Amino acid sequence: MANPNPHYGTGTFRRRVRVRAAPGQVTVELEDGNHGFRLRMWHDGARINTVELDPLRIPFNTCAEASKPLTRAIGHRLDEGAAVLRDRLVPSDNCTHMHDMLVLAAAHAASHRGEEATTRQYDMAVEDERSGVMRASVRCNGETVHEWEIAKHEIVAPAELAGRPAMRGFHAWASECFADLRLEAAVALQRAYFVAQSRRFSFEPAALNPGVADGMPHSACYSYNRSVVERALRSDGTVRDFTHTPDLLLKFLP
């Protein structure tokens, strides 16, 4: 069972996601304190043709296996939208983060126009809980999109969002309140908030903290599925703290 992180309350969880869309190809890179992934997706302008995933830093030895379900996206029509792609992929069969990266890649492939490559970078920061509140923000290409204060998994500020859930039930209200870039940024921030909870714990030594000891519900993601979680061993020395070094994100240092 994980132990409390003695440094929790003094740091900030950081995550960076970069999307580069060019004719026929989209690359998505993601790095945070727990993960490092690079995904490439090729398409012909109408359908997804190929998906390639590099698991550069992963929490469990089983996480890399989750790249296999991504191949279900091959043949997906780009004009069918994210909901159809999610159903096709079956989220619980996938790594949550790989799944999100592929859905993001498909959306940018569908919206990309012209011959010029476009780049969109999201930077999320979620401060450790202090006085019962976590402050979370997301910037897109350097410009702030959302700033939230969250207590007990519920947004308390800004006032117009007060009472909205930041965990279960998030996507339903966010899809009604936001659209386009603001919705994409909100989803990115919610995912960062979710993963930021891991900063509360220390999973060292890794050998004493296998996946089955986490107590996560089955089907929370690929590595927590039955027949997988029983052999999910935590990767040693892969957790990073980017509190004071956000510029190292997406450098994928060993």
Side-chain angles (χ1 to χ4, degrees), residues 68-76 85 87-91 93-94:
K68 296 177 183 177
L70 297 178
T71 59
R72 296 174 185 168
I74 295 173
H76 169 74
L85 180 55
D87 287 344
R88 184 168 186 158
L89 290 173
V90 187
D93 289 353
N94 286 258

Side-chain angles (χ1 to χ4, degrees), residues 15 30 35 37 95-102 194-195:
R15 168 180 275 201
L30 178 153
H35 313 90
F37 299 119
C95 161
T96 301
H97 314 291
M98 296 179 194
H99 169 274
D100 288 351
M101 292 170 74
L102 181 51
F194 168 71
V195 182

Side-chain angles (χ1 to χ4, degrees), residues 60-221:
F60 296 108
N61 63 319
T62 50
C63 293
E65 300 170 13
S67 62
K68 296 177 183 177
L70 297 178
T71 59
R72 296 174 185 168
I74 295 173
H76 169 74
R77 289 189 56 86
L78 296 174
D79 60 4
E80 288 181 318
V84 174
L85 180 55
R86 288 191 186 97
D87 287 344
R88 184 168 186 158
L89 290 173
V90 187
S92 61
D93 289 353
N94 286 258
C95 161
T96 301
H97 314 291
M98 296 179 194
H99 169 274
D100 288 351
M101 292 170 74
L102 181 51
V103 171
L104 188 61
H108 281 253
S111 63
H112 184 263
R113 299 290 182 271
E115 296 299 316
E116 296 295 322
T118 60
T119 300
R120 184 176 290 182
Q121 178 172 298
Y122 290 110
D123 285 287
M124 285 66 70
V126 182
E127 297 179 10
D128 291 350
E129 183 177 333
R130 297 176 178 87
S131 300
V133 175
M134 298 176 74
R135 291 175 172 81
S137 64
V138 54
R139 292 179 294 138
C140 179
N141 294 348
E143 298 293 326
T144 299
V145 184
H146 298 292
E147 290 181 303
W148 301 337
E149 293 183 10
I150 305 170
K152 297 180 179 178
H153 300 328
E154 193 173 274
I155 297 176
V156 295
E160 61 269 21
L161 298 180
R164 303 282 192 172
M167 296 286 269
R168 185 178 296 276
F170 170 84
H171 288 277
W173 72 260
S175 298
E176 294 178 355
C177 290
F178 308 121
D180 303 325
L181 184 148
R182 286 179 59 79
L183 176 58
E184 193 169 273
V187 171
L189 183 53
Q190 190 276 336
R191 286 299 197 207
Y193 172 75
F194 168 71
V195 182
Q197 307 308 314
S198 65
R199 277 186 51 82
R200 298 177 185 272
F201 307 101
S202 170
F203 296 98
E204 297 294 337
L208 298 182
N209 289 278
V212 73
D214 287 354
M216 292 289 285
H218 288 295
S219 300
C221 71

